[in-house]
């Protein structure tokens, strides 16, 4: 079974990487770019359980390790 | 066969050595082991001519790295390695894995790595591609070295169009070991188990060695899966665990898996030890499923080691690895005889005499031919150059040349203070690191001048040796050992082979004269794209010993009112200079002359002057000549200026080169004299500063050493004021000059 | 007195801190493996610089689960002085022993150079020997030293005088120009509310000998010695 | 208009980040974790055009800057 955890910086936290990417895109001629935020995601391969348990377990992993609640928020998605 | 890069006559040889047709796996083994990268088949006959012995040599070429005795029962273990081709394909990972590879070579010897240096070449920063490669390479060098915690303390960077399709990334690593703690990469004792430890084997980098042995063309893109991703954390674990495990004495031989991976490690350890080895690929930890023996043997996955362990002491070894969360597994054993046998689940799938892969690899005495254009590019006629710029405008312009400018943008991304050994901050001189637990220190420099080597590879290579050694001496280090990286084009072309042969001859000659044994090195060939080769670029790394690490100095002036002394002769040689290239758009002429006995004398002299505490600063003259050297002495000094008056050099008109009497009589020629005085790049020159009684001692010592010493001026004020023959020709505020010089690369990199 | 320097597998300044404490300052020091659970009776704990577990995920994220961290927490709760340097600071943040978090440097690139840092507080065990507003030159070497805390937390930290070090110029003036990484309020180091746990990005242990470019960092270790001595004398 | 670009290492490329996270999760007691691969994503805010143009433009940006085609592959998604 597969799950994905998407982690993003909270909106209030400045995202230096996103800013650099946005600047670079504009200088490359993509004037329409207004803002870029960068996030990360984890594709977790799990020994098969049911989707509900998987979601609960992976949410726990995100809480404990994959995201830092001080600066980041996350979203868990279990793939069918 | 074609796909394996094996030539028909080589195949004949394989048949002879094997006594039968090789199977696909065996052919693969020959292919990687006989590649240029692993076998040095084109360069070997030349490398043999280098001086490799000396009273301090503990380990010469042939092992994973060389080593020289530095006293106190210790030795300096060092080597330089290139990762040119991978860095063009993927700059960050190419450079990072290059750093990882050379670090492994050092700790494999039982030495703790304490410093990294890098010698880099890129195309002109005007091109976005060159900027992208430069940015990625610097980030990759830093990314790996910083994480593992080995300081990057020095290096050099040159930008030239000739490298736009073939950047060079050469990395030197220096480590320290007890002399009696050196461990070698040889199999010992039939019956002893062979262990594998480190990252799992994946399909990455298969045929990397073969790739590094071919030119780039449009199909290179298809070879891309060969890119590897570095894992500095894994390497850190491996380094700590290997150093710890070697202390147990249970490890009899150890080798990292670099180019040609397991194939290389198993066959080299076997043939070095005069024994055979049998391994079963089933035991090799694999990252992907369904890997064939061929893929497992040829994979170049990073961060892996092979060890021969004393039978009965396996648990001591595995226990240390477990402590570092690494799982060492036995993959085979050392056997009597001399064959490398590869099994797959007990079934024999390859059986090769290991020496056939290593010592008996083909050696080519490839044809050499001086290029038809060689003599022509050595002609330098002032008449052809057009009107010379004023000295002031030439000076201003040279400060904005990235090759001359401060490399702060790069080394500001390198952790250079970790390890608490770094005495000279990067940018100040040759790198100087102390050796903890002793009073001694080591100075290291890497240098090369491709332009000089293009004009005359023999003399250019000698100049590289001289410059690296002189840089080390200017930090107070007595040169005691060297390593070299030979970066050239396609050796199958006789002109390239000639360049290589001449360069090696030059290195040998200079090293013999300066008493520097070469203990190792690396050869990178096929640095050409669509038939256009790089400048022939031998890069020399020289290590020097400071008996007292506190007796060192840097390029920056230390106080106002000191006398500025030029050691050596100012000959006004403009051939191959940065001045000619930048202000006249010409790469031409003879590179500077080099008198090796004078070079040896000036190096001995400067080491003594620094040891005796007689000079306050010392700076070698190189790119940009005396003018830029003097400017650099004022930079980072806190704004201590300089005023000098240089005796004017008179260029002799050479009518055979087309200089006319009119040229000579005209003001043209007079300006050239001034510019040659300021910007000529003659070798064997050092600018020092000294005050009071020390000044007299400096002059006396120089006289005794037979080195010309000229007091050319004084430190003080806040300007750089240069006169030639009594006429002030350059007058610039330090603040302005330093700002331009310090921010030049930053500014260039700010462009998109 | 005795310093304990915690060794995570990817620590790379552990030996530097050990060397500074034992060879330079001349105190007892021990290297403590991260899988251990005991601080060997140390009086001061240092979490050193490096990349504790490679730190590909987030700096210090995995280190906080190391067995030794429970002992460090207990030690800190008892009021024991704990110093986190660079990666050690990042570990303290992840472990919740200090407030806030680190994000990438504002200019993205790794920053390695000697920087001036102004001492803001002298009533912590690691600044007790400093003069008020003293400027110390110490190297920074990090890619993620951009300190962040939400506005409320930040206000609270300032109100409780928890900012111990700020990036400044050599004259001690704080401005964006002297901020190497974009840290909020130019924060280079903070302490907890009890003031016994201090974290900073610059490396005092690399600045304890003039030969290496600066000896200014020595006062940080000397402070620990001084404050423990005064505790003992009380 | 908003678009997202998901960038992952190609399957044949080794992912040390994912490996370390997977090891850490197992040590933390999540024995069911078999493998983790880490990727990144960019949330690009664009001056409104139609979705088709947006997708084409952002795909170009991904090609040129956001992904490194040598070792990474990407997927573009335009949000409604
Ligand atoms: N890639 C680099 N990494 C680290 N330090 C560098 C690098 N390139 C140059 N430097 C440092 O900048 C200084 C000047 O280099 P260079 O111009 O080659 O000096 P020189 O002309 O004396 O040989 C040296 O101290 C050198 O170590
Ligand atoms: Mg140089």
């Amino acid at each position: 079974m597969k799950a994905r955890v998407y982690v993003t910086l909270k909106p209030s936290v400045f995202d230096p990487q996103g800013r650099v990417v946005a600047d670079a895109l504009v200088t490359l001629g993509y004037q329409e770019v207004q803002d870029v935020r960068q996030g990360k995601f984890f594709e977790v391969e799990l020994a098969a359980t049911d989707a509900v348990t998987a979601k609960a377990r992976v949410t726990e992993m995100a809480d404990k390790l994959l995201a830092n609640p001080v600066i980041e928020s996350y979203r868990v998605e279990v793939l069918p | 066969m074609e796909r394996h890069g094996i030539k028909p006559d080589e195949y004949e040889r394989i048949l002879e050595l094997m006594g039968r047709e090789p199977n696909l796996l065996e052919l693969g083994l020959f292919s990687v082991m006989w590649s240029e990268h692993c076998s040095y088949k084109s360069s070997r006959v030349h490398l043999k001519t280098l001086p490799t012995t000396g009273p301090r040599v503990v380990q010469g070429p042939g092992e994973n790295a060389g080593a020289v005795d530095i006293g106190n029962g210790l030795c300096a273990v060092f080597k330089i390695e290139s990762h040119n081709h991978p860095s063009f394909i993927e700059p960050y990972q190419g450079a990072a894995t290059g750093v990882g590879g050379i670090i492994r070579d050092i700790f494999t010897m039982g030495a703790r790595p304490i410093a990294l240096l890098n010698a880099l070449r890129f195309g002109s920063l005007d091109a976005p591609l060159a900027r992208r490669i430069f940015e990625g390479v610097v980030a990759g060098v830093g990314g790996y070295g910083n994480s593992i915690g080995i300081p990057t303390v020095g290096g050099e960077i040159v930008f030239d169009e000739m490298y736009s399709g073939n950047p060079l990334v050469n990395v030197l690593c220096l480590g320290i070991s007890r002399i009696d703690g050196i461990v070698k990469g040889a199999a010992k004792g039939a019956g002893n188990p062979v262990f594998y430890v480190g990252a799992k084997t994946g399909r990455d980098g298969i045929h990397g060695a073969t790739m590094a042995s071919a030119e780039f063309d449009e199909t290179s893109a298809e070879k891309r899966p060969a890119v590897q991703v570095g894992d500095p954390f894994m390497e850190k674990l491996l380094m700590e665990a290997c150093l710890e495990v070697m202390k147990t004495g249970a490890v009899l031989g150890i080798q990292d898996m670099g180019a040609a991976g397991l194939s290389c490690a198993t066959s080299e350890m076997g043939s070095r030890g005069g024994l055979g080895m049998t391994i079963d690929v089933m035991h090799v930890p694999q990252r992907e499923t369904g890997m064939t023996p061929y893929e497992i043997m040829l994979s170049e996955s990073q961060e892996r080691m092979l060890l021969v362990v004393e039978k009965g002491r396996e648990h001591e070894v595995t226990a240390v690895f477990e402590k570092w969360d690494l799982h060492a597994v036995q993959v085979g054993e050392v056997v009597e005889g001399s064959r490398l046998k590869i099994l797959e689940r007990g079934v024999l799938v390859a059986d090769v005499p290991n020496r056939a892969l290593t010592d008996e690899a083909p050696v080519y005495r490839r044809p050499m031919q001086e290029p038809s254009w060689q003599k022509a590019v050595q002609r330098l006629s002032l008449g052809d150059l057009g009107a010379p710029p004023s000295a002031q405008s030439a000076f201003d312009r040279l400060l904005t040349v990235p090759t001359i400018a401060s490399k702060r943008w790069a080394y500001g991304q390198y952790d250079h203070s970790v390890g608490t050994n770094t005495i000279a901050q990067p940018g100040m001189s040759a790198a100087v690191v102390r050796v903890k637990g002793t009073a001694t220190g080591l100075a290291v420099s890497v240098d090369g001048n491709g332009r000089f080597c293009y004009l005359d590879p023999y003399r250019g290579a000698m100049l590289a040796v001289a410059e690296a050694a002189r840089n080390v001496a200017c930090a107070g280090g007595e040169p005691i050992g060297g390593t070299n990286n030979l970066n050239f084009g396609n050796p199958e072309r006789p002109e390239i082979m000639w360049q290589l042969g001449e360069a090696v001859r030059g290195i040998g000659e200079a090293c013999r004269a300066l008493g520097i044994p070469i203990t190792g090195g690396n050869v990178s060939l096929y640095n050409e794209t669509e038939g256009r080769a790089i400048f022939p670029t031998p890069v020399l790394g020289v290590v020097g010993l400071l008996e007292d690490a506190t007796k060192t100095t840097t390029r920056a002036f230390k106080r106002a009112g000191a006398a500025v002394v030029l050691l050596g002769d100012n000959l006004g040689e403009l051939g191959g200079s940065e001045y000619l290239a930048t202000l006249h758009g010409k790469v031409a002429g003879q590179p500077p002359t080099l008198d090796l006995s004078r070079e040896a004398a000036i190096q001995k002299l400067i080491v003594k002057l620094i040891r005796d505490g007689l000079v306050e600063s010392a700076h070698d003259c190189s790119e940009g000549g005396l003018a830029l050297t003097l400017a650099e002495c004022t930079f980072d000094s806190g704004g201590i200026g300089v005023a000098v008056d240089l005796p004017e050099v008179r260029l002799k008109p050479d009518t055979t080169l087309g200089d006319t009497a009119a040229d000579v009589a005209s003001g043209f020629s007079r300006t050239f004299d001034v510019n040659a005085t300021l910007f000529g790049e003659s070798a064997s020159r050092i600018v020092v500063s000294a005050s009071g009684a020390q000044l007299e001692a400096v002059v006396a010592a120089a006289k005794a050493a037979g080195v010309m010493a000229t007091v050319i001026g004084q430190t003080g004020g806040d300007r750089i004021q240069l006169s030639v023959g009594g006429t002030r020709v350059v007058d610039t505020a330090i603040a302005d000059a330093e700002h331009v010089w310090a921010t030049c690369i930053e500014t260039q990199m700010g462009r998109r | 007195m005795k310093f304990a320097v915690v060794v995570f597998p990817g620590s790379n300044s552990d030996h530097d801190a050990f060397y500074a404490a034992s060879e330079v300052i001349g105190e007892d020091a021990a290297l403590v493996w991260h899988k251990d659970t005991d601080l060997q009776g140390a009086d001061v704990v240092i979490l050193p610089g490096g990349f504790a577990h490679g730190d590909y995920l987030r700096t210090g994220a995995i280190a906080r689960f190391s067995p030794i961290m429970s002992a460090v927490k207990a030690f800190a709760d008892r009021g024991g002085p704990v110093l986190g340097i660079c990666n050690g600071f990042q570990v303290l943040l992840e472990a919740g022993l200090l407030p806030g978090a680190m994000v990438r440097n504002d200019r993205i690139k790794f920053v390695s150079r000697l920087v001036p840092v102004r001492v803001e507080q002298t009533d912590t065990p690691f600044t007790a020997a400093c003069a008020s507003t003293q400027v110390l030159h110490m190297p920074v070497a990090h890619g993620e030293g951009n300190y962040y805390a939400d506005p409320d937390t930040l206000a609270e930290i300032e109100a409780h005088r928890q900012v111990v070090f700020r990036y400044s110029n050599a004259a001690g003036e704080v401005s964006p120009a002297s901020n190497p990484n974009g840290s909020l309020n130019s924060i280079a180091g903070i302490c907890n509310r009890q003031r016994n746990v201090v974290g900073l990005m610059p490396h005092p242990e690399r600045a304890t000998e003039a030969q290496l470019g600066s000896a200014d960092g020595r006062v940080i270790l000397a402070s620990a010695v001084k404050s423990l001595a005064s505790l003992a004398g009380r």
Side-chain angles (χ1 to χ4, degrees), chain A, chain B, chain C:
Chain A
M1 192 156 257
K2 235 185 209 169
R4 286 214 193 95
V5 182
Y6 298 89
V7 178
T8 39
L9 283 174
K10 289 183 180 164
S12 60
V13 180
F14 173 60
D15 172 15
Q17 312 195 60
R19 218 267 317 273
V20 168
V21 169
D23 287 353
L25 286 173
V26 172
T27 17
L28 281 178
Y30 299 99
Q31 310 293 352
E32 70 265 43
V33 172
Q34 293 170 328
D35 190 28
V36 175
R37 307 261 316 159
Q38 186 171 333
K40 52 191 166 185
F41 68 93
F42 303 87
E43 217 164 79
V44 184
E45 190 93 48
L46 294 160
T49 42
D50 61 302
V52 177
T53 329
K55 179 143 193 179
R57 291 286 280 181
V58 174
T59 304
E60 224 184 279
M61 298 177 203
D63 251 341
K64 244 196 178 157
L65 183 72
L66 303 179
N68 177 349
V70 178
I71 43 172
E72 295 168 329
S73 49
Y74 66 86
R75 184 165 60 78
V76 175
E77 169 187 302
V78 176
L79 302 194
Chain B
M1 239 164 47
E2 178 65 10
R3 205 167 58 89
H4 280 97
I6 288 186
K7 306 269 149 76
D9 53 326
E10 291 177 342
Y11 189 72
E12 286 304 313
R13 206 184 150 116
I14 292 174
L15 290 179
E16 206 176 294
L17 288 163
M18 291 285 294
R20 62 172 164 85
E21 296 261 331
N23 62 30
L24 186 66
L25 169 57
E26 290 163 342
L27 192 63
L29 298 179
F30 279 102
S31 152
V32 288
M33 291 303 293
W34 285 15
S35 70
E36 190 64 56
H37 190 77
C38 292
S39 71
Y40 293 89
K41 59 188 167 191
S42 302
S43 55
R44 226 196 252 195
V45 290
H46 298 279
L47 297 177
K48 282 220 173 91
T49 65
L50 292 171
T52 58
T53 53
R56 286 190 185 271
V57 174
V58 172
Q59 178 63 59
E63 275 291 334
N64 289 299
V68 290
D69 189 335
I70 57 169
N72 298 302
L74 302 174
C75 59
V77 178
F78 59 97
K79 196 177 150 200
I80 193 165
E81 180 79 83
S82 64
H83 234 205
N84 303 335
H85 295 84
S87 300
F88 180 64
I89 295 175
E90 212 313 275
Y92 183 97
Q93 296 297 346
T97 51
V99 172
I102 189 64
I103 292 173
R104 279 196 300 285
D105 277 337
I106 302 307
F107 73 72
T108 298
M109 299 284 294
R112 174 165 287 276
I114 63 162
L116 291 163
L117 287 90
N118 56 113
L120 312 176
R121 301 289 183 277
F122 304 97
S124 156
L125 286 180
D126 293 332
L129 178 64
R131 294 201 292 274
R132 200 175 60 73
I133 296 175
F134 177 42
E135 175 136 37
V137 164
V138 168
V141 168
Y144 208 100
N146 298 349
S147 321
I148 193 165
I150 301 167
T152 302
V153 295
E156 54 152 13
I157 310 178
V158 171
F159 302 92
D160 193 297
E161 213 27 71
M162 295 302 285
Y163 302 101
S164 57
N166 294 86
L168 302 185
V169 177
N170 294 178
V171 182
L172 182 150
C173 185
L174 167 73
I176 303 288
S177 167
R178 294 203 52 80
I179 291 175
D180 56 20
I182 291 275
V183 181
K184 300 196 179 172
K188 278 192 200 152
N192 283 322
V194 176
F195 276 85
Y196 169 115
V197 68
K200 291 181 179 167
T201 296
R203 288 196 172 89
D204 46 351
I206 289 172
H207 276 297
T210 327
M211 179 185 82
S213 309
E215 282 177 49
F216 278 124
D217 52 35
E218 328 78 67
T219 64
S220 298
E222 289 165 33
K223 299 179 182 160
R224 273 171 178 174
V227 170
Q228 302 144 60
V229 173
D231 184 352
F233 180 52
M234 174 59 84
E235 178 121 325
K236 165 80 173 158
L237 300 180
L238 270 181
M239 177 174 79
E240 297 298 345
C242 286
L243 289 174
E244 196 171 324
V245 89
M246 282 187 249
K247 285 200 190 120
T248 63
V251 175
L252 303 174
I254 179 167
Q255 168 129 349
D256 74 300
M257 289 177 243
L262 258 175
S263 310
C264 181
T266 49
S267 56
E268 282 194 2
M269 289 188 83
S271 59
R272 283 205 199 102
L275 286 163
M277 202 178 269
T278 299
I279 67 164
D280 192 325
V281 294
M282 156 177 94
H283 301 300
V284 173
Q286 294 156 42
R287 207 170 61 223
E288 297 171 56
T289 49
M291 288 184 70
T292 63
Y294 183 96
E295 290 171 322
I296 295 169
M297 290 306 294
L298 268 62
S299 161
E300 293 188 4
S301 289
Q302 299 287 303
E303 291 100 13
R304 302 177 302 158
M305 309 287 294
L306 200 68
L307 294 80
V308 172
V309 173
E310 190 178 336
K311 199 176 174 71
R313 299 183 66 183
E314 293 87 345
H315 59 282
E316 287 176 61
V317 171
T318 48
V320 172
F321 284 118
E322 290 297 331
K323 170 184 163 190
W324 291 94
D325 295 322
L326 295 169
H327 309 292
V329 293
Q330 185 178 344
V331 293
E333 63 173 11
V334 179
V335 295
E336 294 290 356
S338 61
R339 302 189 78 87
L340 169 62
K341 292 191 184 180
I342 300 164
L343 312 180
E344 186 187 26
R345 299 179 188 284
V347 178
L348 188 68
V349 289
D351 183 356
V352 187
N354 54 32
R355 288 172 50 86
L357 295 172
T358 56
D359 306 357
E360 282 156 23
V363 171
Y364 292 137
R365 193 171 289 278
R366 294 198 189 273
M368 308 201 286
Q369 169 79 57
E370 180 176 329
S372 53
W373 43 261
Q374 194 68 47
K375 293 281 184 306
V377 297
Q378 292 176 348
R379 289 172 58 100
L380 175 60
S381 155
L382 297 187
D384 290 347
L385 292 179
S390 72
Q392 181 74 55
S393 62
F395 177 81
D396 294 345
R397 177 74 183 82
L398 285 171
L399 282 172
T400 68
V401 173
T403 297
I404 287 181
S406 165
K407 307 304 182 298
R408 185 179 77 179
W409 184 88
Y411 63 68
Q413 298 178 54
Y414 300 155
D415 187 342
H416 39 79
S417 53
V418 64
T420 59
N421 293 320
T422 312
I423 292 178
Q425 300 302 310
M428 292 308 282
S429 76
V432 181
V433 288
R434 66 175 174 187
V435 180
K436 280 203 184 99
T438 76
T440 63
L442 295 169
V444 197
S445 185
V446 286
D447 288 282
N449 187 318
R451 208 182 276 148
F452 288 168
C453 291
Y454 161 76
L455 296 173
D456 181 345
Y458 170 68
R459 203 191 290 165
M462 289 204 291
L463 287 164
V465 176
E467 192 189 343
R470 201 182 317 123
N471 276 327
V472 157
C474 282
E478 177 199 342
I480 57 169
T483 179
N484 68 101
N485 208 328
L486 303 173
N487 305 280
F488 289 81
N490 180 347
E492 294 158 41
R493 294 203 288 138
E495 315 85 78
I496 300 286
M497 215 42 228
W498 178 83
Q499 292 176 330
L500 181 99
E502 287 295 284
V504 174
R505 196 165 68 83
I507 294 172
E509 179 95 14
C511 285
R512 268 185 292 271
L514 300 175
I516 302 171
I518 293 288
T519 63
N522 176 254
V523 179
S524 170
L525 302 179
Y526 298 94
N527 290 288
E528 50 183 277
T529 301
E530 265 129 48
R532 199 171 78 127
I534 58 166
F535 280 146
T537 313
V539 170
L540 264 293
V542 170
V543 174
L545 178 65
L546 289 84
E547 271 157 18
D548 179 347
T550 62
K551 302 250 169 68
T552 182
T553 192
T554 65
R555 65 172 157 79
F557 291 139
K558 304 298 181 299
R559 68 168 101 182
V564 178
V565 183
L566 171 64
L567 302 176
D569 299 327
N570 192 16
L571 302 174
E573 292 159 291
L574 285 176
S577 64
E578 193 61 56
Y579 165 82
L580 274 195
T582 301
L583 290 132
H584 296 278
K586 269 226 153 49
V587 178
Q590 299 270 359
T593 50
L594 179 65
D595 179 329
L596 286 166
S597 60
R598 285 189 187 205
E599 180 67 45
I602 197 170
Q603 289 184 19
K604 286 218 171 60
L605 171 67
I606 190 69
V607 170
K608 179 174 157 42
L609 294 177
I610 295 171
R611 276 188 192 163
D612 293 348
L614 297 176
V615 294
E616 294 160 7
S617 68
H619 194 18
D620 154 57
C621 290
S622 59
E623 290 95 344
L626 254 178
L628 272 293
T629 302
L630 286 162
E632 285 169 8
C633 294
T634 71
F635 300 158
D636 300 301
S637 71
I640 300 171
V642 68
V644 300
D645 185 10
L646 301 167
E648 181 172 333
V649 177
R650 278 296 160 97
L651 295 180
K652 288 193 207 69
D654 188 340
T655 44
T656 61
L657 292 184
D659 292 350
T660 64
D663 289 333
V664 178
S666 75
F668 254 43
S669 157
R670 160 80 190 147
T671 311
F672 272 122
D673 286 348
V674 169
N675 288 353
T677 305
L678 290 171
F679 307 116
E681 296 182 7
S682 294
S684 316
R685 293 179 303 163
I686 298 169
V687 169
V688 299
S689 61
S691 317
Q694 275 90 327
L695 172 62
E696 281 152 46
V698 168
V699 174
K703 192 161 181 206
V707 174
M708 170 107 104
T710 318
V711 177
I712 54 175
Q714 272 219 325
T715 63
D718 56 5
R719 304 186 70 81
I720 300 161
Q721 300 181 311
L722 312 178
S723 300
V724 174
T727 310
R728 170 85 26 101
V729 287
V730 171
D731 190 348
T732 301
I734 298 175
D736 299 337
E738 187 164 359
H739 178 75
V740 168
W741 172 83
T743 58
C744 164
I745 292 182
E746 235 154 86
T747 310
Q748 299 267 348
M749 293 304 288
R751 298 190 285 171
R752 281 277 165 199
Chain C
M1 64 168 284
K2 185 171 176 181
F3 286 85
V5 179
V6 174
V7 181
F8 297 105
S11 295
N12 63 30
S13 300
D14 43 348
H15 287 272
D16 298 351
F18 178 82
Y19 184 87
S22 59
E23 300 292 319
V24 183
I25 305 292
E27 297 293 332
D28 261 3
L31 291 166
V32 178
W33 186 233
H34 72 115
K35 290 179 191 168
D36 289 351
T37 49
D38 172 289
L39 289 165
Q40 304 184 16
D43 307 292
V44 182
V45 172
I46 296 182
L47 303 185
F51 292 73
H53 285 83
D55 288 9
Y56 304 132
L57 171 62
R58 278 187 325 277
T59 55
I62 299 175
R64 80 173 160 110
F65 297 107
S66 285
I68 195 69
M69 285 308 290
S70 316
V72 172
K73 253 182 210 143
F75 179 79
D77 288 345
R78 288 198 305 274
V82 177
L83 179 68
I85 302 169
C86 195
N87 189 236
F89 184 13
Q90 294 161 341
V91 172
L92 289 173
L93 294 170
E94 284 279 341
L97 284 168
L98 289 174
M102 286 295 173
V103 292
R104 263 303 261 280
N105 294 348
D106 60 347
R107 272 155 284 187
I108 304 297
K109 296 192 186 328
F110 194 93
V111 186
S112 167
R113 62 169 195 261
L114 199 63
V115 299
V117 173
R118 188 176 77 193
V119 177
E120 303 287 281
Q121 310 294 337
T122 54
D123 59 344
T124 80
F126 298 101
T127 50
C130 297
S132 140
T133 73
Q134 182 176 354
V135 174
L136 307 175
H137 284 81
M138 298 184 285
V140 287
H142 59 247
E144 292 186 29
N146 185 350
Y147 180 81
Y148 173 85
D150 65 62
D152 292 347
T153 311
L154 193 63
E156 224 171 278
I157 294 172
E158 292 284 3
H160 291 96
R161 299 190 302 106
Q162 284 170 256
V163 178
V164 184
F165 303 99
R166 266 186 244 273
Y167 299 110
S168 72
N169 63 14
E173 294 150 359
V174 172
S175 77
S178 53
N179 183 340
N181 54 30
S183 266
L184 289 178
N185 296 8
S186 288
I187 287 174
I190 57 173
C191 65
N192 61 351
R193 192 75 73 82
Q194 297 71 35
R195 310 190 88 70
N196 60 317
V197 178
V198 172
L200 80 170
M201 288 313 291
H203 286 274
E205 84 286 11
R206 299 188 193 177
T208 59
E209 295 166 272
Q211 193 189 17
L212 305 181
S214 169
D216 290 0
R218 212 188 267 218
V219 69
I220 307 254
L221 298 180
S223 291
V225 178
K226 179 182 165 185
S227 60
L228 276 169
S230 72
L231 270 182
R234 212 167 42 198

